[in-house]
């Protein structure tokens, strides 16, 4: 019993130490993170990122009152993406974080699943962000997602495209915004092997008519 308790406490201390190391490393690499992700991604590295993104959208709508905003949310975003999408991006744009990230993700994650009236079962997973990794979990997701967002922006240069982690906002003329959203569904499904949540997608504007998405 004493051994099990000590081992459990040791695991807790290891996780806490790892979080401290991760936080220090991310702080040192903040400028590099912003350089790669911003201005498409506001969810990591950008101080008051949600507030800044909201003001950016409002300012754009004031200048373009006929434009429409379509907001989308990914389904089960952090648990389903392919980690294989992460490593090339990490090694090219944030090589200083490569070893730390690989260490944190070296072993498969353990997920617990339980059927109704049944015992929980532990299943190893090699997809998605690790729970308990704090900011590193958000960063790894955003790094894997970035090439997909960049592709969407390249295909729709007339649209304002902003993301806050997995929440992507499209601002453009109504028909272009709708077309951009439909294309994002395709890109996200192919690149991240996931889906957008139909119940969370919404549109709004200052003066443009609402279009179905």
């Amino acid at each position: 019993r004493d051994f099990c308790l000590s081992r459990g406490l040791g695991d807790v201390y290891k996780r806490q130490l790892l979080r401290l190391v991760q936080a220090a490393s991310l702080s040192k690499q903040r400028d590099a993170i912003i350089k790669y992700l911003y201005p498409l991604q506001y969810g990591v590295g950008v101080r008051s990122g949600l507030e800044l993104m909201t003001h950016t959208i409002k300012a754009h709508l004031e200048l373009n009152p006929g434009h429409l905003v379509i907001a989308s949310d990914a389904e089960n975003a952090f648990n389903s993406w392919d980690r294989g999408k992460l490593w090339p991006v990490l090694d090219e744009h944030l090589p200083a974080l490569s070893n730390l990230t690989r260490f944190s993700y070296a072993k498969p994650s353990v997920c617990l699943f339980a059927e109704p009236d049944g015992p929980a079962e532990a299943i190893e997973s090699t997809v998605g962000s690790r729970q308990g990794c704090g900011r590193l979990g958000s960063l790894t997701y955003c790094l894997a997602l970035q090439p997909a967002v960049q592709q969407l922006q390249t295909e729709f240069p007339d649209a304002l495209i902003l993301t806050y982690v997995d929440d992507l906002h499209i601002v453009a003329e109504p028909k272009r915004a709708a077309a951009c959203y439909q294309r994002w569904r395709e890109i996200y499904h192919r690149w991240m092997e996931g889906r957008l949540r139909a119940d969370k997608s919404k549109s709004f504007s200052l003066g443009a008519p609402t279009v179905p998405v």
Side-chain angles (χ1 to χ4, degrees):
R1 180 179 177 181
D2 292 340
F3 169 74
C4 292
L5 180 60
S6 298
R7 185 175 61 178
L9 288 174
D11 290 340
V12 171
Y13 291 141
K14 288 178 182 178
R15 288 195 294 269
Q16 291 178 341
L17 178 60
L18 182 58
R19 290 194 190 101
L20 291 174
V21 173
Q22 290 172 353
S25 299
L26 293 182
S27 296
K28 290 181 179 179
Q29 295 300 314
R30 181 173 177 270
D31 290 343
I33 292 171
I34 294 176
K35 181 179 179 180
Y36 177 59
L37 295 177
Y38 187 80
L40 295 176
Q41 177 60 255
Y42 286 73
V44 177
V46 181
R47 291 189 175 92
S48 303
L50 183 59
E51 181 180 357
L52 179 59
M53 184 181 74
T54 301
H55 284 309
T56 300
I57 293 174
K58 288 182 177 179
H60 180 95
L61 290 177
E62 289 176 357
L63 294 175
N64 303 275
H67 282 195
L68 181 74
V69 181
I70 298 180
S72 69
D73 182 36
E75 182 177 310
N76 199 27
F78 284 85
N79 298 322
S80 60
W81 59 275
D82 178 9
R83 292 178 187 173
K85 304 294 186 183
L86 168 66
W87 309 124
V89 176
L90 184 68
D91 292 339
E92 179 178 355
H93 297 282
L94 292 166
L97 293 176
S98 182
N99 289 338
L100 174 63
T101 305
R102 281 180 163 84
F103 175 80
S104 301
Y105 283 76
K107 295 181 180 180
S109 304
V110 178
C111 302
L112 296 178
F113 291 91
E115 296 290 340
D117 302 323
E121 294 184 9
I123 300 177
E124 291 188 344
S125 173
T126 57
V127 299
S129 299
R130 276 189 177 277
Q131 295 183 359
C133 277
R135 289 187 293 168
L136 185 62
S138 297
L139 176 62
T140 53
Y141 174 84
C142 292
L143 290 176
L145 180 69
Q146 186 73 353
V149 181
Q150 291 173 333
Q151 179 181 343
L152 185 69
Q153 183 67 87
T154 298
E155 295 184 14
F156 290 85
D158 55 320
L160 176 66
I161 297 173
L162 308 172
T163 52
Y164 189 85
V165 192
D166 63 314
D167 296 331
L168 183 135
H169 293 71
I170 300 165
V171 192
E173 294 180 354
K175 290 185 178 180
R176 288 291 287 170
C180 186
Y181 172 78
Q182 294 300 331
R183 180 59 178 145
W184 177 236
R185 292 181 63 180
E186 298 171 357
I187 293 175
Y188 189 87
H189 177 69
R190 187 190 74 249
W191 184 257
M192 299 295 282
E193 300 182 8
R195 297 183 300 177
L196 303 184
R197 295 184 59 175
D199 61 320
K200 290 292 185 178
S201 299
K202 56 186 177 181
S203 63
F204 57 91
S205 71
L206 294 181
T210 301
V211 296
V213 295

